[in-house]
Amino acid sequence: MWWKALTVILLIYTILAGLFFPIPTVDIVDESVRNLFFHVPMWFAMTIMLILGAVNSILYLAKNNIQYDINAKIFTQTALIFGVLGLITGSLWALITWGALWTNDPKLNGTAIGMLLYLAYFVLRNSLEEDSKRATVSAVYNILVFPIFLSLIYVLPRIFASLHPGNGGNPGFNIYDQAKHLRIVFYPAVIGWFLLGFWISTQLIRLKKIENQFIEREIIDINE
Amino acid sequence: MSFYSSYFIFNFAAHFSNQALKELWALYKKDIILDFKNKSSLSSVLLYSLTIVFVSYYSFKVKISEVGPIVWNALFWIITLFISINAASKSFQNEMNGVDYYLYQLSNPLKILFSKILYNITLLLATGIICLAFYSLVMGNPVGSPVDFTIIFVLGIVAFASILTMVSGIAFKAGNNFTLMAIMSLPLLLPLEMLLIKGSMLAIDGIGMDTVGFRNIVLSISALIMIEISLSYLLFPYLWRA
């Protein structure tokens, strides 16, 4: 599996280069700019995972194959893990640059609400017992919340004033980085963290498949 | 998939034929008549809204001149949000105990969806207007530009109705669970709520349609309504079949 090897290489490169690479000096941000290689890719990975989850939900409604429902659930689950990691790294960064672990920023609040939306997705799944009904209803919910989630973290911070770079009239990071130094690490980091998330998801999907096989075997045993 | 998708694409005009509109009207009328027949559900919605307004007023015990327009505005939209969720959670109550299977045979899911959206718009507008009147009576009314406030108010109610219809459909399929309805709809309505609070704050300050900021908010809310209604249009047939 070449992409698994690539994941390991990219992540080792990200961690080593991210921590020891020369970086442009900016007041206040200082060395904390290295968090760019850990905080921002989390959100990229989470968004791509959520897109994969939504696509699998659409595929379930189109093809009625329970496998797509399992995929959608697992991808959403991994996306939530990345979201929590993004919140933690972001909080640490905010403590250093903005002076508090949690600020009244539309992007932060939007993310928190987005997390609640997807936690409700799991509550909804647990409250339905029958497999095909649960798959259909939760697929409908997953597709319904996806545009709302996008508007929460990508549209609203641009309408309301946000502290984040590139939002609410703030400049993005690009203008401080004349040497394009950061990009040499940033793009591999994005790809590496996404591949890690995809890898975790495929493992979880396999685990779920084995679990289902065990349950089927037990049912057969009981019937015999 | 094939049945529904072909129905969507090739028979789109069929939704707006005379026969279809008659069916839609019959479904809409059925809900209204049932509500007036079984007065407990309608009066409980009304009483809930009056009570929650009075509780909010009594917690502050002051008029608008003391709390200021920001608190008045935020409190009004929080009250409207909770009243809407409470009222809309009953929208599939009449379909309990197997009536949904009967309707499934009689009519097309999209007609049921649109009749429910229309019904919810009517119900939420009625409760919203009563709530606004009572709220203004006890707390006072600081609105500087009533026309613009009305635009935001009606748009907000329509958006609440269109999102909550779909969410209550989902909650209905999960056993008409009110807690589930609340945890699903509160975060879903929050981006809308933020836009509404910002828009109606501008209307209270007397800034209206002649400014870009206000027009942008009206456009964003309209876009959200369009997205939600088109998503419901695509997804509700699957939900109704589940």
Side-chain angles (χ1 to χ4, degrees):
Chain A
M1 286 312 229
W2 61 272
W3 59 271
K4 291 180 181 170
L6 184 70
T7 312
V8 175
I9 294 167
L10 283 177
L11 285 183
I12 290 173
Y13 169 73
T14 303
I15 290 166
L16 289 181
L19 292 181
F20 301 112
F21 216 65
I23 47 155
T25 48
V26 182
D27 284 345
I28 302 171
V29 179
D30 291 328
E31 290 288 321
S32 77
V33 78
R34 296 185 191 281
N35 204 353
L36 178 71
F37 313 127
F38 304 99
H39 171 63
V40 186
M42 295 300 160
W43 299 115
F44 277 75
M46 182 183 82
T47 311
I48 299 171
M49 290 293 150
L50 287 179
I51 292 172
L52 285 174
V55 166
N56 271 298
S57 286
I58 295 171
L59 281 174
Y60 174 77
L61 289 184
K63 305 210 164 135
N64 244 330
N65 183 346
I66 202 80
Q67 182 60 42
Y68 292 119
D69 177 57
I70 296 169
N71 292 355
K73 184 204 166 192
I74 300 287
F75 278 127
T76 313
Q77 218 171 337
T78 336
L80 268 186
I81 297 169
F82 275 90
V84 171
L85 288 176
L87 272 184
I88 293 170
T89 50
S91 277
L92 292 175
W93 204 355
L95 184 64
I96 293 164
T97 52
W98 300 337
L101 279 173
W102 194 273
T103 57
N104 186 20
D105 187 272
K107 207 153 191 153
L108 264 75
N109 295 330
T111 317
I113 297 154
M115 297 280 164
L116 292 179
L117 273 178
Y118 280 102
L119 287 174
Y121 170 73
F122 292 107
V123 175
L124 175 66
R125 287 189 71 91
N126 285 333
S127 69
L128 287 155
E129 309 245 306
E130 191 195 328
D131 269 359
S132 69
K133 194 175 185 181
R134 171 172 61 204
T136 313
V137 173
S138 59
V140 167
Y141 180 75
N142 199 11
I143 301 167
L144 192 73
V145 299
F146 186 65
I148 299 278
F149 179 77
L150 287 189
S151 77
L152 269 171
I153 67 170
Y154 293 111
V155 182
L156 281 185
R158 286 173 169 76
I159 296 177
F160 298 91
S162 172
L163 293 167
H164 274 85
N167 289 165
N170 289 345
F173 262 113
N174 292 343
I175 61 154
Y176 297 120
D177 186 23
Q178 300 297 342
K180 307 278 181 279
H181 255 134
L182 300 174
R183 293 175 188 209
I184 303 172
V185 188
F186 180 65
Y187 291 134
V190 169
I191 298 167
W193 288 114
F194 161 65
L195 283 178
L196 181 69
F198 192 75
W199 193 358
I200 294 172
S201 307
T202 51
Q203 294 304 312
L204 285 174
I205 290 166
R206 279 171 69 185
L207 189 67
K208 189 84 195 162
K209 224 183 241 175
I210 295 167
E211 266 175 25
N212 283 351
Q213 277 171 5
F214 264 105
I215 291 169
E216 271 169 31
R217 208 172 290 166
E218 267 173 30
I219 291 169
I220 291 167
D221 285 348
I222 290 166
N223 286 343
E224 278 169 356
Chain B
M1 171 71 183
S2 57
F3 168 71
Y4 279 115
S5 58
S6 60
Y7 193 84
F8 288 144
I9 296 159
F10 302 114
N11 253 346
F12 187 78
H15 298 309
F16 302 101
S17 70
N18 212 5
Q19 182 61 35
L21 288 179
K22 256 184 205 163
E23 230 177 292
L24 197 73
W25 177 245
L27 284 167
Y28 173 71
K29 221 166 73 180
K30 178 212 77 173
D31 278 328
I32 302 272
I33 289 172
L34 274 177
D35 257 359
F36 277 102
K37 208 169 179 184
N38 177 13
K39 290 190 183 66
S40 72
S41 77
L42 195 65
S43 49
S44 74
V45 168
L46 281 178
L47 197 58
Y48 181 82
S49 59
L50 293 183
T51 315
I52 201 168
V53 168
F54 201 72
V55 165
S56 326
Y57 160 69
Y58 212 64
S59 309
F60 284 99
K61 270 189 189 164
V62 282
K63 291 269 176 190
I64 167 70
S65 52
E66 286 165 75
V67 290
I70 295 175
V71 174
W72 187 91
N73 186 29
L75 191 62
F76 173 67
W77 282 108
I78 292 170
I79 290 172
T80 316
L81 179 70
F82 277 90
I83 289 172
S84 304
I85 291 174
N86 185 56
S89 69
K90 292 182 170 54
S91 53
F92 285 91
Q93 204 184 31
N94 297 332
E95 273 70 30
M96 297 267 281
N97 305 327
V99 179
D100 53 335
Y101 297 115
Y102 180 55
L103 277 185
Y104 184 82
Q105 291 176 332
L106 274 186
S107 183
N108 171 292
L110 293 172
K111 289 185 191 107
I112 293 168
L113 170 72
F114 285 118
S115 78
K116 287 289 177 195
I117 290 180
L118 280 179
Y119 165 72
N120 269 340
I121 290 174
T122 321
L123 182 65
L124 296 192
L125 259 184
T127 46
I129 288 169
I130 291 169
C131 154
L132 177 61
F134 191 53
Y135 188 65
S136 306
L137 178 74
V138 290
M139 292 281 275
N141 193 334
V143 175
S145 162
V147 178
D148 298 308
F149 189 81
T150 313
I151 293 171
I152 288 286
F153 180 70
V154 173
L155 267 180
I157 292 290
V158 172
F160 279 163
S162 53
I163 294 178
L164 285 171
T165 307
M166 196 62 196
V167 177
S168 69
I170 292 173
F172 168 67
K173 283 293 171 185
N176 229 350
N177 185 337
F178 181 73
T179 321
L180 198 60
M181 170 90 190
I183 60 167
M184 285 193 295
S185 47
L186 279 175
L188 256 177
L189 291 175
L190 213 122
L192 188 68
E193 181 87 355
M194 282 166 76
L195 286 170
L196 287 172
I197 286 177
K198 194 168 171 140
S200 70
M201 198 60 223
L202 291 177
I204 286 170
D205 290 343
I207 302 165
M209 276 311 229
D210 47 337
T211 56
V212 182
F214 191 83
R215 278 204 298 268
N216 276 348
I217 285 172
V218 169
L219 276 179
S220 314
I221 297 171
S222 315
L224 255 171
I225 296 174
M226 302 280 240
I227 292 172
E228 283 305 320
I229 289 190
S230 44
L231 272 177
S232 312
Y233 175 77
L234 290 172
L235 294 173
F236 192 76
Y238 294 103
L239 185 71
W240 197 236
R241 211 169 21 156

